[in-house]
């Protein structure tokens, strides 16, 4: 088994793992994402987070926003369709210290899209759970079409960011008390969101319903979450093969919400933990580098 260092370097956080013979011997976390370097250079943050690790002796593989125009070095995207096993042969070297995994892009008249970091999760996910469609929930959810290891197409849905903006910076969330989790409110949101061709006309109703006393003011966040996720899932699976389960790559709490939404419209799903998929993908790339 390969010894290597893996770094998941996003916009707001950084996580690093040191592997010896395939076993993780140390893990470090930092809030020095590429948008929060605190006056330091990426090279300085890298040196700090890998202090004491054998960076000159083993492959160091980094993925995520570290390869963006806001990161350490702008790494070109690989245009889809592209085979995921090409990632390890298309890495970019940065300052003789590490390798950065390229992101993926789609550039067509009907779809302009980019991803960074998710491609590494997909590489691992396909090895662990081969499928034709994956969803990667989050601030900007990715829906990915894969055929025999080739990423054919993907789309991004800004559901997580939209939920945050509506709740924190729009009239919908104005004057609300501290929010509480409520499964029934989430299910009600799913029922509305998954049946509407457009939820634009429904958004103001979220506010009106609690102003008029029809909905509990403490449960608006979960109702809105259900509304947005329900609509996203119904829209993005409109032409999906319903005989094939969709693989959800996410942490447990978010995965459960998407699983519920898919179940609501009669679709099967399988959940794969995001960290596990990422680690499997990075290990595959490190193995290729070592050989």
């Amino acid at each position: 088994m390969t010894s290597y260092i893996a770094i998941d370097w996003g916009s707001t956080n950084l996580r690093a793992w040191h592997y010896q013979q395939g076993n993780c011997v140390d893990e470090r976390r930092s809030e020095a994402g590429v948008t929060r370097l605190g006056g330091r250079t990426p090279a300085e943050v890298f040196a700090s987070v890998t202090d004491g690790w054998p960076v000159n002796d083993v492959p160091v593989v980094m993925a995520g926003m570290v390869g963006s125009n806001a990161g350490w070095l702008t790494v070109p995207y690989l245009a889809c369709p592209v085979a995921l096993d090409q990632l390890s042969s298309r890495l970019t070297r940065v300052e003789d210290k590490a390798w950065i995994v390229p992101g993926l892009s789609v550039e067509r008249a009907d779809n302009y899209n980019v991803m960074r970091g998710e491609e590494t999760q997909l590489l691992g996910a396909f090895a662990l759970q081969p499928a034709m469609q994956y969803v990667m929930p989050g601030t900007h959810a990715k829906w990915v079409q894969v055929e025999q290891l080739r990423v054919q197409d993907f789309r991004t849905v800004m559901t997580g960011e939209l939920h945050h903006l509506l709740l924190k910076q729009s009239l919908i969330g104005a004057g609300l008390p501290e929010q509480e989790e409520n499964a029934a409110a989430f299910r009600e949101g799913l029922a509305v969101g998954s049946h509407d061709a457009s939820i634009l006309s429904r958004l103001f109703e979220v506010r009106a319903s609690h102003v008029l006393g029809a909905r509990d003011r403490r449960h608006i966040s979960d109702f809105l979450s259900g509304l947005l996720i329900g609509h996203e899932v119904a829209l993005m699976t409109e032409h999906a093969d319903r005989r094939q389960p969709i693989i959800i790559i996410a942490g447990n709490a978010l995965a459960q919400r998407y699983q519920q939404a898919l179940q609501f419209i009669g679709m099967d799903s399988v959940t794969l933990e995001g960290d596990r998929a990422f680690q499997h993908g990075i290990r595959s790339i490190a193995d290729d580098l070592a050989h």
Side-chain angles (χ1 to χ4, degrees):
M1 295 293 286
T2 307
S3 295
Y4 60 97
I5 291 165
I7 299 178
D8 183 3
W9 201 337
S11 298
T12 55
N13 291 286
L14 180 159
R15 293 182 300 165
W17 299 266
H18 177 203
Y19 282 84
Q20 284 182 355
Q21 305 306 315
N23 296 311
C24 183
V25 295
D26 197 6
E27 176 182 347
R28 295 174 184 173
R29 294 170 180 261
S30 165
E31 291 189 350
V34 297
T35 62
R36 303 201 299 206
L37 297 176
R40 294 182 293 173
T41 66
E44 287 168 342
V45 171
F46 175 86
S48 169
V49 84
T50 60
D51 185 40
W53 287 1
V55 290
N56 298 316
D57 304 321
V58 300
V60 182
V61 185
M62 305 192 294
M65 292 299 285
V66 64
S68 72
N69 58 3
W72 194 343
L73 184 73
T74 305
V75 175
Y77 294 104
L78 301 185
C80 292
V82 64
L84 287 164
D85 58 4
Q86 283 186 28
L87 290 174
S88 59
S89 63
R90 304 287 292 276
L91 305 175
T92 296
R93 188 77 167 150
V94 56
E95 293 188 23
D96 286 330
K97 297 177 189 296
W99 297 95
I100 300 178
V101 182
L104 304 184
S105 66
V106 175
E107 194 172 345
R108 297 195 313 266
D110 68 331
N111 186 13
Y112 290 93
N113 254 294
V114 292
M115 69 164 68
R116 285 201 190 274
E118 292 94 348
E119 73 296 315
T120 306
Q121 282 188 322
L122 281 168
L123 175 63
F126 194 84
L128 295 165
Q129 194 78 52
M132 295 177 68
Q133 187 165 26
Y134 295 85
V135 58
M136 308 161 94
T139 308
H140 301 150
K142 304 286 184 187
W143 289 80
V144 188
Q145 306 288 338
V146 181
E147 285 179 24
Q148 297 176 335
L149 200 61
R150 288 177 72 79
V151 176
Q152 298 288 8
D153 199 12
F154 66 91
R155 290 190 180 270
T156 306
V157 189
M158 295 171 65
T159 305
E161 183 173 356
L162 191 56
H163 179 270
H164 176 80
L165 290 172
L166 290 170
L167 207 59
K168 301 296 182 187
Q169 296 184 37
S170 85
L171 197 60
I172 286 174
L176 286 177
E178 189 173 341
Q179 294 295 287
E180 300 172 3
E181 281 197 28
N182 186 274
F186 179 75
R187 283 195 302 272
E188 287 170 21
L190 281 184
V192 177
S194 59
H195 285 123
D196 269 355
S198 169
I199 56 164
L200 282 177
S201 62
R202 291 288 195 176
L203 291 176
F204 188 77
E205 289 182 33
V206 178
R207 171 172 167 77
S209 66
H210 74 74
V211 168
L212 295 171
R215 196 170 303 288
D216 194 317
R217 298 172 74 244
R218 298 166 301 173
H219 304 155
I220 296 304
S221 176
D222 268 5
F223 177 77
L224 180 62
S225 175
L227 183 76
L228 295 172
I229 291 174
H231 181 69
E232 173 195 341
V233 165
L235 185 70
M236 300 308 291
T237 58
E238 210 171 352
H239 306 296
D241 183 346
R242 292 185 175 259
R243 297 164 300 178
Q244 302 281 339
I246 289 178
I247 311 302
I248 305 168
I249 306 173
N252 191 44
L254 203 46
Q256 282 183 354
R257 293 191 171 225
Y258 276 74
Q259 202 156 26
Q260 256 188 279
L262 286 161
Q263 202 172 9
F264 190 84
I265 59 169
M267 293 203 68
D268 290 332
S269 63
V270 175
T271 296
L272 189 58
E273 217 279 317
D275 266 359
R276 185 172 172 230
F278 179 84
Q279 294 298 346
H280 203 87
I282 282 279
R283 177 172 296 184
S284 166
I285 292 169
D287 281 345
D288 285 349
L289 277 175
H291 299 125

